[in-house]
Every structure is written in structure tokens, then in C-alpha cells.
Amino acid sequence: MTVDGIRSWVRSSPGTHIWLLIIGITSLVITAASEGLESFLLHRTSSNIHELHKHPLQSVLISGFWIADPSSFLLYVVLFELVHANVERWTGTLRWLVTVAVAHIAATLISQEVLLMSIQSHSAPRSMKHVVDIGVSYGLAGAAGILTYRVPRPWRWLYLAGAVLFFAVPLTAGGTYTDIGHAIALGLGLACWPLTRGRPTWNADVARIPVAVAVAVPDAVRQRPAGRAVPGRPRCRRRRWRP
């Protein structure tokens, strides 16, 4: 991809890249912090039961801009480009933001409520009220859910099956409260299908290549010049706890 292509891609998904920039900065802060300061920051910015009780709005919002392991930042860069950037570019920044916010906030609150009930029933230790619960994975799961509707049939069902299995398998193996949150976020992303009305799926040419590759390639790179058809092919329209 050319420099102009990269610039165009970033400009077409500004929310995704601003979010990545903030995560990069907070990751550098965690990397440079002492062990004591790192522990303080991770707990202070968590959306755990303790912080939700003391600072509900602040903890829910801030927790989405930190990752517990800064060494995984490059992995999140790849995932953001594959999932968030494609969803934002497809639905628009506002609809993407609504989907991510709903998934992140609802999954956080519901999963912590499940944990609280387990603590009250003595199925989990009271110390879990202070567990580190930060990260961007709930929003990522929600975006992965709504991205289902951009994948053309029949590949859509393969993508959906893979996403459901990815988030459901940990639950069947006795998942944590975060696994519950991921499943909820994916479901909420799927429930946001009305936001995709009027938005086109990838074209039929994309359906002929693996979905994972299709997600990574911008539309501008995939489009063919007008008037050029492929021979023989019809032209297409434009941390672990068991509850």
C-alpha cells in the first residue's frame, strides 16, 4: 500500500486510530512506571466492583484506554486494523462508536454484576472486588459481532460460526467473568444489525478469497478499474476465576 493509501485509510477511520494512539501512550506510561506505580494505575483505572462503586462513570470510560500487558500492543494494532477500522469505515464513525460503547459498557456492568453475585454467594473471594479489569477486548468483541453483516453470504455464516466458537469455547471450559463479558459483547454487536441498514457488503470478488484477508485489504485497493472484467466471471455490481 502506498503512503497516500495509508493516509486515506487512517483518515477514513479516525476514531480507531485516535483510540490506538491513546492506548499506545498509556502503554508507554505503564512500561516506564515503577512496579508500585504500575499496580496503582492498573487498579485505579480498572472497572472492577470497587471502582464502579466509587467512580462509576469514570471507571467504565477510562478502563477502555488501557491494556494490562503493554507488550501485546502490536497485537492490538493488528486487531484494530482488521476489525475496528473496517467497521468504522463501513458504518461511519458515529455508528461504530455507538456499537463499541454499548458493547464495552454493557459487558463490563453485566460481567461485574455476575462476579458480585458470586462473591455474595461465597463462590468467589471478596478480594475479587479489587481485581484488575481493564482493556479494550469488550469493544473489540462488539465490533467483531457487527462486522458479521459486512461479510457476504455464504462466507458470513463461516465467519459467524468462527466468532461464536472463539468466544463460547472458554465458557464451556469453565470461563472467567471476562469470558462472560466477551460473549455478551459479541451478542450485543450482533444485535446492532439495524445500524448496518443501507451499508453494502463486500463485493463478490472478495467472497472468493479468505475472509481474514478480505478484512485486511481496503476497498480502494480491491476495486478494479471500470470496464475491466475477469474472463469467465460475471461482472459484479458496484485473570482466572470460576463462577
Side-chain angles (χ1 to χ4, degrees), residues 190-241:
L190 291 169
C192 286
W193 69 267
L195 298 179
T196 68
R197 289 176 177 171
R199 306 294 174 173
T201 62
W202 278 302
N203 60 39
D205 284 342
V206 177
R208 296 177 180 269
I209 62 176
V211 174
V213 176
V215 174
V217 182
D219 292 343
V221 177
R222 294 196 301 268
Q223 290 177 348
R224 300 178 182 274
R228 295 179 59 186
V230 178
R233 180 184 302 173
R235 294 181 59 182
C236 302
R237 292 183 180 177
R238 304 270 234 244
R239 296 168 188 189
R240 307 300 297 175
W241 159 82

Side-chain angles (χ1 to χ4, degrees), residues 45-125:
T45 57
S46 289
S47 53
N48 54 35
I49 295 173
H50 174 74
E51 292 298 330
L52 284 173
H53 179 71
K54 293 184 62 178
H55 315 96
L57 182 60
Q58 176 182 323
S59 62
V60 169
L61 295 179
I62 293 180
S63 65
F65 294 99
W66 297 74
I67 54 178
D69 183 9
S71 65
S72 63
F73 175 70
L74 291 180
L75 173 61
Y76 280 108
V77 170
V78 174
L79 293 175
F80 268 53
E81 296 297 343
L82 292 178
V83 181
H84 281 307
N86 275 285
V87 173
E88 182 180 4
R89 193 169 189 263
W90 175 48
T91 64
T93 299
L94 181 58
R95 297 186 185 194
W96 162 79
L97 185 59
V98 169
T99 302
V100 171
V102 167
H104 173 72
I105 295 173
T108 296
L109 296 179
I110 295 173
S111 62
Q112 289 299 317
E113 181 64 25
V114 171
L115 177 57
L116 178 60
M117 290 190 297
S118 295
I119 293 174
Q120 292 174 340
S121 64
H122 306 292
S123 299

Side-chain angles (χ1 to χ4, degrees), residues 164-175:
V164 170
L165 284 175
F166 182 83
F167 291 109
V169 167
L171 291 177
T172 61

